[in-house]
Amino acid sequence: MPFRLPPTVQWIAEAPAVRIVDQTLLPTQECLLDLCDVDAVAEAIRMLRVRGAPAIGCAAAAGIALAAALAPDDLAAMKAYLSWATDTLAATRPTAVNLFWALDRMRAVWESWTGDGAGLRYALSREASAIIAEDIECCRAIGRYGADLLPDGARVLTHCNAGALATAGYGTALGVIRAAVEAGKKIHVWADETRPLLQGARLTAFELVADGIPCTVLCDNMAGSLMAAGQVDCAVVGADRIARNGDTANKIGTYGVAVLCRHHGIPFYVAAPLSTVDFSIASGQEIPIEQRSPDEVAWLAGFGKQAITPPGAGIFNPAFDVTPAALITAIITDRGVAWPPFEESLRALAEKTDSPGATL
Ligand code: MRU
């Protein structure tokens, strides 16, 4: 069941360029963009041309490989340029921890490098390619572990886009759904449209239609009545950062879905690679929440076509919210399924050595 778009993020060493699918144009235009300098990569991340926690990490890793390709040959000058590139990319979006995880992994290669500049360029190019390849492996592993949790015939609600477009490919929450379908189960997806930038309507529905997986888009404020009508069997969402106690930051509106699930007795699953778990923070209170432009709320679809608020109205536009661990049934990772209490189960999975993907 191939996804008909090319990979979300590619590192094209011979160009050199970071090639992405411009997600701001979907679903009406399928457009590849070659980002040829670090500022272009940073702009693409900030503007959500490439988005979704794992995909942002992959783009940042490729951005560092690109920086090395563009840097002077002299090793000290190259490292100074890499340091600037790392700071530039780290300043793009604060919540998705995969961005910092990927930049740290790239830094571990360049900071201690004592060979010549050409060797460092090659090593960073290989590391970026490895991070991208591992991300797809992680998603497939998440899918394998999570597929068992979805009963045949399940009607699954998801929020935002945690699919192939949010990762290097296959997806986290949509990876679980894809794997269940590949295992022969009949699945119907309810896709929250996801105000204000409509990642659910524009991107999740786009991917599912391309894969032939039945899906229905609903406005975010319709999920409650759908659950009350007995039409939802479980919810599966992605994550941008998970604290070590299991509190999970994900797209704004996720918390409301989790509360509704608890009220209606519906399992609420989070699907994410272990690289999304930030073991350095104790709870969700420490997760920085990105505030985005008021224009995203004040204009229809956020793209400046039609105003939907009067000038002078205040605008509230946090990009993420935090779902407390107590509302989460299980966290599906690339190393297995974590059940409450998450502090212990996530740590145990992180210490497993047979990971198919991420290196923590
Ligand atoms: O602001 P975005 O579009 O980058 O937010 C991404 C999300 O919150 C995703 O839905 C997600 O679940 C995390 S990435 C798999």
Side-chain angles (χ1 to χ4, degrees):
M1 198 184 297
F3 180 55
R4 71 192 162 100
L5 271 183
T8 312
V9 183
Q10 297 175 77
W11 163 233
I12 313 286
E14 57 281 9
V18 181
R19 184 168 294 164
I20 61 161
V21 176
D22 186 345
Q23 300 189 35
T24 61
L25 302 177
L26 289 172
T28 50
Q29 290 177 56
E30 298 171 25
C31 174
L32 286 177
L33 210 54
D34 275 3
L35 309 169
C36 297
D37 62 44
V38 173
D39 287 323
V41 178
E43 190 270 352
I45 295 173
R46 200 175 295 114
M47 298 309 291
L48 275 57
R49 296 186 200 287
V50 56
R51 48 143 300 279
I56 291 171
C58 292
I64 294 298
L66 175 64
L70 301 176
D73 290 334
D74 171 73
L75 188 63
M78 185 180 286
K79 285 190 180 186
Y81 192 72
L82 290 169
S83 174
W84 166 80
T86 301
D87 291 347
T88 301
L89 293 167
T92 51
R93 299 194 71 191
T95 304
V97 76
N98 308 60
L99 170 65
F100 308 100
W101 172 88
L103 290 172
D104 283 349
R105 216 172 122 170
M106 297 300 280
R107 191 202 310 272
V109 174
W110 64 261
E111 215 167 40
S112 57
W113 187 266
T114 51
D116 64 4
L120 179 52
R121 271 191 196 112
Y122 181 67
L124 289 171
S125 178
R126 282 179 58 109
E127 190 70 353
S129 300
I131 286 173
I132 293 170
E134 285 171 22
D135 188 58
I136 298 178
E137 284 305 301
C138 283
C139 288
R140 290 202 174 269
I142 289 167
R144 281 195 297 277
Y145 288 119
D148 287 347
L149 299 172
L150 305 190
D152 189 16
R155 297 152 303 172
V156 183
L157 185 129
T158 191
H159 189 76
C160 194
N161 172 265
L165 289 163
T167 60
Y170 203 69
T172 52
L174 293 196
V176 170
I177 289 164
R178 284 195 165 98
V181 171
E182 284 164 11
K185 293 180 184 174
K186 200 166 163 271
I187 303 288
H188 184 96
V189 180
W190 295 110
D192 276 357
E193 71 170 346
T194 317
R195 279 280 292 152
L197 294 183
L198 310 178
Q199 289 94 329
R202 294 188 302 108
L203 308 176
T204 295
F206 179 81
E207 285 192 29
L208 292 173
V209 168
D211 271 4
I213 298 174
C215 76
T216 304
V217 176
L218 59 146
C219 300
D220 299 345
N221 53 5
M222 298 168 185
S225 65
L226 196 65
M227 291 184 195
Q231 295 293 312
V232 179
D233 298 303
C234 66
V236 187
V237 301
D240 288 80
R241 191 186 298 225
I242 301 172
R244 65 172 179 263
N245 72 343
D247 290 353
T248 295
N250 193 49
K251 180 52 58 190
I252 190 74
T254 303
Y255 170 54
V257 172
V259 171
L260 285 168
C261 281
R262 175 56 53 93
H263 180 74
H264 292 96
I266 294 168
F268 177 87
Y269 300 114
V270 170
L274 272 170
S275 54
T276 302
V277 182
D278 184 350
F279 286 99
S280 75
I281 59 172
S283 80
Q285 285 181 340
E286 294 172 64
I287 300 177
I289 299 294
E290 176 182 9
Q291 301 290 325
R292 291 189 60 85
S293 165
D295 290 351
E296 294 179 352
V297 172
W299 295 81
L300 202 57
F303 302 129
K305 297 222 172 69
Q306 187 185 335
I308 55 169
T309 60
I315 301 288
F316 177 60
N317 189 20
F320 302 97
D321 56 27
V322 176
T323 298
L327 295 178
I328 299 170
T329 307
I331 300 175
I332 306 160
T333 79
D334 51 305
R335 296 191 198 177
V337 179
W339 299 93
F342 293 118
E343 182 126 16
E344 289 154 37
S345 56
L346 288 172
R347 177 62 65 190
L349 290 176
E351 284 164 4
K352 263 175 83 174
T353 50
D354 58 341
S355 164
T359 314
L360 289 170

